[in-house]
Amino acid sequence: MTTMPVGGVTPLPGIEDGGAAELVVRNARIHTGDPARPAATAVAVRGGRITALGDDAVIARHVGPRTRVVDALGRRIVPGLNDSHLHVIRGGLNYVLELRWDGVPSLRQALAMLREQAGRTPKGQWIRVVGGWTPEQFAERRMPTVPELTAAAPDTPVFVLHLYQSALLNRAAVRAAGFTRDTPDPRGGQIVRGRDGEPTGLLLAAPSALVLYSTLAAAPALGEQDRKTSTRHFLRELNRFGLTSAVDAAGGFQNFPENYATVTELARDGELTLRIAYHLFPQTAGQELDDLRRWIEAVRPDEGDEWLRLNGAGENLTWAAADFENFSEPRPELAAGYEGEFEKSVRLLMENGWGFRLHATYDETIRRDLAVFEKLAADGLFPAGNRWLFDHAETVSPRSLERIAALGGSISVQNRMSFQGKAFVDRYGAEAAAHTPPVKEMLDLGLPVAAGTDATRVSSYNPWVALHWLVTGRTVGDLCLYPPDRLLSREKALELYTRGGARMTGESETKGVLSPGFLADFAVLSHDYFAVHDDDIPHIESVLTVVGGRLVHAAAEFEGLDEEIPPVSPSWSPVAHFGGYQATMPPGLTGARQADRLAEAVAASEQHRQWRVARGFAPESAPQVFDPCFVL
């Protein structure tokens, strides 16, 4: 057997290779997510699917001479995570160019990384910090300043994106972007200027983030081969956290088909390590309907395979119907009369069997969209079996939820409040924030709900940060947003991240749980999600990620078992030096928490001694141990 040295499972005499499992993982604590069989200790895989679950005795019948047997060493296994709203395609095209501040605990460390990266970045290239962080995570609890960026990198352009709110540019980046005193403010954005009229390096979304993204788009892009390598490393980074699937929400500056070519080629070559269901997003205001007609003639939803498939349109259908999510600015008032073109787009999709997803932060937007859907319902187009959903829905009202349910819709929620919760509280108050978004009400109504991150330009792509938010109601800065009665159990939160995502793509019969016949997508965790302290949840990673029976990520005791991928290119990439998410020690392993646990262990030991005394198994007084090392 090609195996780790393990005991307990041996090849069954006489079993043919053709009927044996290709992979067996045993000695695990498996949470299947399947109510019919919630737990197991071993799993067998063949042909990319689960063939058996149970204990060693059950799995032994599936072990042949060539079966790869892996001992999970008692670790927790969960179904592969599925981010229902992740900009994975766009993120992959740029990943190796980005300096990630995700997880960095202090501004001092963040600036040190910036300074070090400036020394290796070649002339003409930019340093980009693009999402996944907030000043609330820093010990200093503040933003960097433009002078600090300039001091860290005097000659290298630096672009630092802060949520959907702003961007900071050092002097070199202001020059590289071509901003001068004569550059006009773009619509919905502001170039902040000093007393002399010159740009200071601060860009504000007021409220549109277009000025932030268009500036970022001016930075140099990767060549074709490096885009493939970048995407493969981004997918491996997602596998690092136990992600096995994602629903790509498209987005601005993601054109079809050119920006989809990289994942398409990787899928064709069998090099994807994450299953992707993607959406198509009209990019140009005024020609959205033409784009949708062209796509409807060319492709169909659900075309593709288990690795790469079209899931529908969105998250915008028409630009005029999109609100913004900058909680530091007042809620935007959408233009009157956008419903006409919006209705045409929705009708076109529904009549041609296309599902769609809609970006909608505020209930005011959702109510206007629902009025259009209810008008189309009179023609029998809602509910009509097409999968459709609202994304985000932070301030959706109870009445709107009822209307969504009546029209056959779903909701995909993201942990943007992990990063923007303080800004929301500062503007709308703690009482409003306690219901933002109202996940409990969604579930109580029986609405299909899925969880995700909206990474990479706001939240981090780390799904355990999102799960921590769902379970604890706390931001990454430890601000408590929700009272205890609004929190989800760990089991329910995980379900939104597994079965929930599968429902959004019509794949709930093939993935989201671990059961015979389902896809063999699962993660062996570094720490037991169901047992660790709440504060430790964001620090969980996968030490072994399996997608379709393939070992796509391996760390700790399993390092070296995964598939090899090309090294990061270009060699000066921030990812080549720093990696992606910056992991820190779980708080539960720090000194104070360890001392607490030691005290608990001592108390438990004394309790056990007293229990033995009461039953006559031990003497009344503890034995006196003489140790000359402790005698004065």
Side-chain angles (χ1 to χ4, degrees), residues 356-367:
F356 61 87
R357 66 191 311 158
L358 284 172
H359 170 107
T361 301
Y362 299 99
D363 189 56
E364 289 79 359
T365 306
I366 292 170
R367 291 201 306 265

Side-chain angles (χ1 to χ4, degrees), residues 37-167:
R37 185 200 293 267
T41 61
V43 56
V45 176
R46 179 169 181 80
R49 293 183 179 260
I50 294 171
T51 55
L53 283 152
D55 57 17
D56 283 354
V58 171
I59 298 302
R61 298 195 293 270
H62 299 268
V63 176
R66 298 185 186 276
T67 300
R68 186 178 202 177
V69 180
V70 176
D71 189 331
L73 304 174
R75 293 186 181 272
R76 173 69 67 185
I77 290 181
V78 297
L81 303 186
N82 186 344
D83 191 319
S84 67
H85 187 119
L86 176 64
H87 296 279
V88 59
I89 293 175
R90 185 176 67 192
L93 296 177
N94 301 287
Y95 173 63
V96 300
L97 292 175
E98 296 171 356
L99 178 66
R100 303 302 307 182
W101 282 355
D102 309 47
V104 174
S106 71
L107 179 58
R108 179 180 181 179
Q109 179 181 335
L111 291 172
M113 294 169 68
L114 189 62
R115 187 178 302 110
E116 190 175 346
Q117 182 58 34
R120 69 171 60 85
T121 302
K123 187 175 182 179
Q125 288 289 343
W126 294 27
I127 300 175
R128 320 147 210 235
V129 179
V130 186
W133 68 280
T134 170
E136 300 304 310
Q137 80 194 44
F138 294 149
E140 299 88 342
R141 300 283 175 149
R142 69 172 180 88
M143 294 272 289
T145 65
V146 170
E148 284 174 325
L149 301 185
T150 298
D155 303 314
T156 305
V158 175
F159 176 97
V160 177
L161 179 69
H162 175 229
L163 307 176
Y164 290 120
Q165 300 174 11
S166 61

Side-chain angles (χ1 to χ4, degrees), residues 359-495:
H359 170 107
T361 301
Y362 299 99
D363 189 56
E364 289 79 359
T365 306
I366 292 170
R367 291 201 306 265
R368 290 178 68 174
D369 292 350
L370 288 172
V372 172
F373 301 162
E374 287 165 345
K375 180 179 178 182
L376 294 173
D379 296 335
L381 295 179
F382 285 88
N386 299 15
R387 294 188 302 273
W388 71 272
L389 64 125
F390 280 114
D391 281 305
H392 316 311
E394 272 89 357
T395 69
V396 64
S397 66
R399 176 59 186 141
S400 292
L401 291 177
E402 293 172 357
R403 295 166 71 188
I404 293 168
L407 292 166
S410 306
I411 298 180
S412 173
V413 296
Q414 296 77 43
N415 66 312
R416 303 193 304 185
M417 292 291 283
S418 289
F419 294 82
Q420 295 178 286
K422 184 176 184 301
F424 191 95
V425 170
D426 289 346
R427 176 164 294 279
Y428 299 106
E431 185 175 350
H435 296 78
T436 304
V439 179
K440 292 282 280 191
E441 285 85 347
M442 297 173 190
L443 295 171
D444 289 344
L445 270 176
L447 277 165
V449 180
T453 59
D454 198 14
T456 58
R457 292 185 174 177
V458 178
S459 303
S460 172
Y461 49 75
N462 183 347
W464 300 100
V465 175
L467 284 159
H468 172 263
W469 166 73
L470 288 168
V471 168
T472 70
R474 293 184 174 274
T475 70
V476 295
D478 207 33
L479 173 66
C480 183
L481 298 174
Y482 314 126
D485 63 346
R486 303 199 57 75
L487 303 179
L488 300 188
S489 68
R490 298 193 188 196
E491 290 80 1
K492 176 55 71 173
L494 185 63
E495 181 188 332

